Amino acid sequence: MRSPRVSVLLPVRDASRTLDECLASLGAQTLSDHEVIAVDDHSTDGSRARLDRAAREDERVRVLDNPGRGLVAALNAGAAAARAPLVARMDADDVCRPDRLRAQAARLDAESDLAVLGTRVRLAGEVRANAGMRAYVDWLNALVDHDAIVRDLYVESPLAHPTVMLRARLLARLGGYRAFEGPEDYDLWLRAHAAGARFAKLPEVLLDWRDGPDRLSRTDPRYAPERFRDVKLAALEAGPLLRHPAAVVWGAGPVGKGWSRALAARGHRVAAFVEVHPRRLGQRIHGVPVVPVEAAVSAPDLLHLAAVGRPGARAEIRRLAARLGLRDGDDLIAVA
């Protein structure tokens, strides 16, 4: 069979309430040359029957049974069956705009060195109930070019997984999604970055991203903040922490203290906390001195971590660090 231009990986588990709308949005794509690989992850709510009906009505829809259990097994099974050079992700509770696949494929065709391409999103579902998710989407939508995405790569996942289109050869080179007790999508972005992949995001909103209390990222312990931090630390240990004997943590609030504890637990020395709050200066936290900005570079060859939660505070740390001659992304890395 002739290979399509794009293969869409669609894992499905008990998604009968939203699946029809999701499939309709894929069927309405202006890029008709695509296939949808729907992997049923042992659904019990009638989702499989809906998928089978969609496959009868549209030959571009292929339905597979998950050979294992869970999202990672479903994604890797779909990737193994994909026939296109470009692989797009989609979730069964989301809706993509009609021009999504065409716009992403056109950008990837035009830029041969671009490997991973997302889009901006519109938050759907219980929007008013979740201020944290709204703030996250605002932050995510602000990161469009490669430099902005990798500069904040250790803050949070800078790409909404169901918006991403990437090159199949990159996914194969990385060995697909990794099965472990942590966030499989964020782990993939970190591994892609380590492999030298270039990222970008289309400036258009091309996906309605549904949020709600039953979302996997809210209910599964693999997506807990501590698991994200473990993945970040492992990536830092494979790169920046190899080049620096110790760390300086900018910010002595909850985020900074959490990073200090996590670093110490993995055998890394924290040389100092850097603070602007006058009442914290001169204190010791976890046995580590709290010093002013001017003393942040008193010892050479340290990795500086901007460990704060507020984007405004992060920007201020970057400004102060630049004044001291620290290079953003090299000497200083923003984390959260």
Side-chain angles (χ1 to χ4, degrees):
M1 296 176 64
R2 184 183 66 83
S3 297
R5 193 172 172 194
V6 176
S7 295
V8 180
L9 304 186
L10 176 64
V12 177
R13 182 174 184 179
D14 293 341
S16 61
R17 291 182 299 169
T18 58
L19 183 56
D20 288 345
E21 190 177 9
C22 167
L23 290 169
S25 75
L26 290 170
Q29 290 296 298
T30 57
L31 176 69
S32 61
D33 188 14
H34 71 266
E35 65 177 357
V36 176
I37 303 174
V39 183
D40 178 35
D41 186 20
H42 310 279
S43 295
T44 60
D45 70 340
S47 292
R48 179 55 186 263
R50 292 173 183 270
L51 290 174
D52 289 339
R53 183 181 67 209
R56 290 193 299 270
E57 296 173 352
D58 188 341
E59 63 181 6
R60 297 174 299 179
V61 178
R62 300 164 58 197
V63 183
L64 308 178
D65 288 313
N66 190 0
R69 280 195 174 272
L71 179 59
V72 170
L75 288 171
N76 285 333
R83 296 180 294 131
L86 299 175
V87 174
R89 272 285 286 114
M90 186 66 180
D91 281 341
D93 56 351
D94 298 325
V95 174
C96 54
R97 307 291 173 85
D99 208 33
R100 177 204 163 180
L101 298 183
R102 187 210 61 77
Q104 288 185 287
R107 176 77 177 270
L108 286 162
D109 286 347
E111 299 181 29
S112 60
D113 63 334
L114 180 59
V116 182
L117 179 64
T119 80
R120 283 177 168 156
V121 300
R122 184 186 75 87
L123 191 59
E126 299 178 16
V127 177
R128 271 183 270 182
N130 192 354
M133 188 65 173
R134 293 200 306 272
Y136 171 61
V137 167
D138 289 342
W139 171 82
L140 179 145
N141 280 342
L143 307 176
V144 175
D145 61 34
H146 174 80
D147 289 343
I149 289 170
V150 300
R151 185 182 66 171
D152 273 3
L153 186 59
Y154 293 96
V155 174
E156 247 286 14
S157 179
L159 299 159
H161 196 189
T163 72
V164 166
M165 184 181 288
L166 72 163
R167 299 191 189 277
R169 65 175 182 266
L170 172 65
L171 187 58
R173 180 156 62 96
L174 296 174
Y177 291 88
R178 188 165 68 97
F180 73 113
E181 292 302 311
E184 76 294 328
D185 53 342
Y186 186 50
D187 173 70
L188 187 68
W189 315 148
L190 290 170
R191 290 189 289 126
H193 175 57
R198 189 163 76 85
F199 297 83
K201 190 178 294 170
L202 292 178
E204 297 84 11
V205 172
L206 294 175
L207 185 105
D208 290 340
W209 202 20
R210 195 184 304 272
D211 185 41
D214 297 330
R215 195 176 187 90
L216 200 61
S217 58
R218 296 186 178 282
T219 60
D220 195 310
R222 290 175 299 172
Y223 305 102
E226 295 78 12
R227 298 304 297 126
F228 273 86
R229 189 172 58 212
D230 287 345
V231 175
K232 296 170 189 177
L233 262 169
L236 289 171
E237 287 171 333
L241 280 170
L242 280 177
R243 303 189 296 270
H244 300 276
V248 173
V249 176
W250 290 60
V255 176
K257 290 175 182 175
W259 271 87
S260 173
R261 287 191 296 268
L263 285 162
R266 295 173 77 116
H268 301 287
R269 183 172 70 89
V270 176
F273 284 93
V274 178
E275 259 292 347
V276 297
H277 200 298
R279 283 187 293 181
R280 288 179 176 163
L281 297 178
Q283 295 182 7
R284 297 185 75 86
I285 298 176
H286 306 155
V288 175
V290 181
V291 303
V293 171
E294 293 72 21
V297 292
S298 58
D301 200 26
L302 298 175
L303 179 64
H304 294 255
L305 299 176
V308 291
R310 292 187 300 108
R314 198 174 300 130
E316 178 65 7
I317 289 175
R318 283 176 164 142
R319 185 186 67 80
L320 294 170
R323 197 176 70 190
L324 297 175
L326 298 175
R327 295 164 295 177
D328 196 5
D330 188 0
D331 305 310
L332 176 78
I333 294 177
V335 298

